[in-house]
Amino acid sequence: MKVTAKIGAIEFVGNEVRVALVKTGRSLPQVLDLQTRTAEYENNDDRVPAFARALNEALDALHSNPATFVLCVPCNKTVVRALDIPFKGIARVSKAVPFEIEPHLAFPLEELLLDFNVIREIEGVTEVLAVGARRTHLEEQLDILQMAGVEAELAGVDVAGLTSLWMATQKNSKGLRAVLHVRDDSSMLAIVHNKSLAYFRHLYFGALDLQTDPHRAAREVQNTLRAFLAKWRSGTQLNSLSLTGYSLTVDETEIFEETLNMPVSTMILMDRLKKSRHCQVEPSVNFWEAAVGVGFSAGGGGLLFNLMKDTQQIQGAIRAVVAHLMFSACLALLFLLGGAWYYHEGRLRNETVIKQGREELEHLEEAIDTMAAEGLGSDVQFSFYGDPTLLDLLKELSEKLPRGSFHINEIKVNPPEARGGWVNITGSADSAAEFNTAFDRLKESSMFRFTEDTNIRLQGDKITFRLRAFRPEDDIDEL
């Protein structure tokens, strides 16, 4: 299900940080902003802080704030296997995939971040494509995000993002289709069966290598296609090859078509996308398309492998239990607050606190006058924040939100200077109608302000969401 959201896709390539801001919800994404920065450092120990600074610079340069962030992971850091599961049913298949892929690993299964998609069901067997990455390969990138104060919703794979964009430009979505994504230093060959990714492989030739020796590149593609078709269990054949990111010359096209014995077509994916005036796109070889495609996939636009899914499920379960306990404790506390005696004592305490606050304010004013007399200057300003208490926030949410089919998993209150809103609310609803009803009731609250741009996505039969609430006096940056 496609959802409308502004998604910031982050990709690390060499010493570069690339941030692509896309708006999803339609057949093709709209590119809102593109920013790239280079991490500069001398010692390897300074690598992570340097990338964090570069990422912050790129984020600060964006003309609007994303509703959520995703990470684009290179496919050459992944393990990919086509597996035959001898039964049907997504629940049973999900449990079997880790055990089926374990014999193919050169390291313990516990170190693998894993996801998969179903290719097809045939003769009682479920064919799946399992994609995983070793935790150590993602640790540095996750450390960079954490140091920059960014929380990624998922970690997608670049080849899946590129293939999602390519599929969105195609009218035919049936049968076997092959696409070669060419980048500066490497290429990726992907094969799609109907609307599922059936196979992909990282190839060690880039645009310059293709220009230098197109015969070698064509033979490598031919050998890869033959290896896949030798294991494919039906008589379906590949009838054509698409190539993205690089425009073949007439001679190069003839070499590929003669070697592969099939027609070859080329396209530049970025030329097919609508771009805002903030985007300065130079001619390049799939420079931005991988990040744009991963953001598009995160919005429900195509193929998606989330290598952080298992970690998020564990953390989500823990957060749900903690949130439930906190909510129950707060309800008990609110019941006690209803007592007249406690109310009386609370009033007395509040009067004492107010008196102390006034005394401290007078002390601060005296200190300000003293510093001004000593030459501090009259241009110094002091700000005081008076946000509602956590109990007030919980009370407001409990009054506005319906019970039963609407669940809150996490409530995160940010300080005034934080990026991304005041209160972040994460949860789930049984249906889109339930979510829309609850969201309309929340927007009636005088305590919060919300943007229309929300981050929701479909997981199984439920709608999961992440809302950003702002203070009534905050300025909300909208396009």
Side-chain angles (χ1 to χ4, degrees):
M1 181 182 69
K2 294 185 178 68
V3 295
T4 301
K6 288 192 294 184
I7 299 176
I10 301 171
E11 184 181 21
F12 300 99
V13 180
N15 285 342
E16 287 187 340
V17 178
R18 302 174 187 176
V19 180
L21 179 59
V22 299
K23 186 172 185 179
T24 62
R26 298 185 178 180
S27 58
L28 284 171
Q30 179 185 1
V31 183
L32 303 180
D33 207 342
L34 301 170
Q35 297 292 336
T36 181
R37 296 293 186 276
T38 301
E40 298 180 356
Y41 58 94
E42 295 181 358
N43 301 320
N44 196 52
D45 294 338
D46 300 329
R47 177 179 172 84
V48 172
F51 269 93
R53 288 192 299 271
L55 176 56
N56 267 324
E57 291 175 2
L59 294 177
D60 292 338
L62 293 176
H63 293 81
S64 62
N65 293 323
T68 189
F69 292 95
V70 297
L71 178 64
C72 179
V73 179
C75 71
N76 62 340
K77 298 293 185 181
T78 63
V79 177
V80 57
R81 289 291 185 274
L83 303 174
D84 292 339
I85 310 299
F87 42 76
K88 297 181 180 181
I90 189 64
R92 297 174 65 194
V93 169
S94 299
K95 295 178 181 179
V97 167
F99 300 101
E100 292 291 335
I101 199 174
E102 185 174 16
H104 302 281
L105 301 178
F107 51 87
L109 180 63
E110 292 76 15
E111 298 182 20
L112 184 69
L113 299 171
L114 180 65
D115 199 5
F116 71 94
N117 73 248
V118 175
I119 302 173
R120 61 179 177 173
E121 294 178 348
I122 181 173
E123 298 177 356
V125 174
T126 303
E127 295 182 355
V128 303
L129 186 69
V131 180
R134 198 166 185 174
R135 293 178 186 272
T136 54
H137 290 164
L138 296 184
E139 283 178 353
E140 183 184 71
Q141 297 188 15
L142 295 178
D143 289 343
I144 294 170
L145 297 183
Q146 184 178 10
M147 186 172 291
V150 174
E151 182 180 356
E153 288 290 327
L154 57 86
V157 184
D158 56 1
V159 64
L162 285 165
T163 307
S164 295
L165 276 186
W166 173 75
M167 290 174 61
T169 65
Q170 305 298 300
K171 296 181 179 180
N172 178 31
S173 61
K174 295 182 179 181
L176 281 179
R177 293 167 294 158
V179 56
L180 178 66
H181 305 293
V182 180
R183 305 193 79 176
D184 284 324
D185 56 351
S186 63
S187 300
M188 293 160 280
L189 181 65
I191 299 177
V192 177
H193 177 257
N194 295 337
K195 295 184 179 181
S196 299
L197 189 60
Y199 176 84
F200 71 82
R201 184 188 174 198
H202 179 263
L203 303 178
Y204 294 92
F205 65 84
L208 182 59
D209 300 318
L210 195 154
Q211 290 178 348
T212 304
D213 192 353
H215 289 280
R216 184 182 70 85
R219 287 194 301 270
E220 191 165 349
V221 172
Q222 180 189 45
N223 294 336
T224 303
L225 293 177
R226 285 177 175 175
F228 168 78
L229 292 174
K231 297 180 179 180
W232 187 250
R233 289 204 279 175
S234 68
T236 308
Q237 295 295 319
L238 291 166
N239 297 320
S240 63
L241 173 71
S242 294
L243 189 145
T244 72
Y246 178 84
S247 297
L248 295 173
T249 65
V250 175
D251 293 339
E252 291 168 348
T253 301
E254 291 180 355
I255 291 172
F256 267 77
E257 289 183 342
E258 290 178 0
T259 303
L260 302 177
N261 194 26
M262 64 177 68
V264 177
S265 60
T266 63
M267 73 169 63
I268 305 299
L269 293 173
M270 192 61 75
D271 293 343
R272 304 292 184 93
L273 305 181
K274 182 179 179 181
K275 296 174 282 292
S276 73
R277 56 186 176 85
H278 303 304
C279 300
Q280 301 295 328
V281 181
E282 299 293 337
S284 58
V285 184
N286 278 329
F287 187 91
W288 291 107
E289 284 84 341
V292 172
V294 169
F296 175 56
S297 299
L303 308 169
L304 180 63
F305 292 96
N306 182 9
L307 300 181
M308 296 169 56
K309 182 174 65 174
D310 292 339
T311 304
Q312 289 173 337
Q313 288 175 348
I314 294 173
Q315 294 176 346
I318 295 174
R319 287 197 297 264
V321 173
V322 173
H324 179 72
L325 293 175
M326 289 181 60
F327 190 70
S328 300
C330 290
L331 288 179
L333 181 59
L334 289 173
F335 177 76
L336 294 176
L337 287 172
W341 179 86
Y342 190 85
Y343 176 80
H344 177 68
E345 293 295 320
R347 182 176 62 84
L348 294 179
R349 286 198 303 272
N350 289 337
E351 289 177 354
T352 302
V353 172
I354 291 172
K355 182 179 179 181
Q356 293 175 348
R358 287 174 178 171
E359 293 175 353
E360 292 176 358
L361 182 58
E362 291 175 358
H363 177 72
L364 286 174
E365 290 175 346
E366 292 175 359
I368 292 171
D369 292 337
T370 302
M371 289 187 290
E374 294 175 355
L376 178 63
S378 59
D379 58 344
V380 178
Q381 298 180 354
F382 293 85
S383 300
F384 298 90
Y385 298 100
D387 287 339
T389 65
L390 179 59
L391 290 177
D392 293 333
L393 295 176
L394 292 173
K395 182 180 178 181
E396 183 73 3
L397 291 174
S398 64
E399 290 176 353
K400 294 297 183 182
L401 296 177
R403 293 180 175 84
S405 58
F406 193 90
H407 313 280
I408 293 179
N409 296 336
E410 181 183 20
I411 300 174
K412 182 179 180 182
V413 181
N414 296 318
E417 69 276 8
R419 188 199 307 271
W422 172 33
V423 180
N424 292 339
I425 305 170
T426 305
S428 63
D430 289 348
S431 65
E434 294 288 348
F435 170 79
N436 292 332
T437 300
F439 190 43
D440 290 340
R441 293 186 61 180
L442 275 178
K443 289 190 287 187
E444 296 174 359
S445 173
S446 61
M447 189 176 293
F448 309 105
R449 289 177 61 200
F450 293 86
T451 64
E452 293 296 332
D453 187 11
T454 61
N455 179 25
I456 64 173
R457 62 177 183 265
L458 182 64
Q459 287 191 352
D461 297 329
K462 289 189 175 183
I463 297 292
T464 62
F465 61 86
R466 183 176 183 182
L467 305 178
R468 295 188 303 159
F470 294 81
R471 299 174 182 83
E473 65 273 15
D474 287 346
D475 292 329
I476 303 176
D477 187 7
E478 297 253 352
L479 282 181

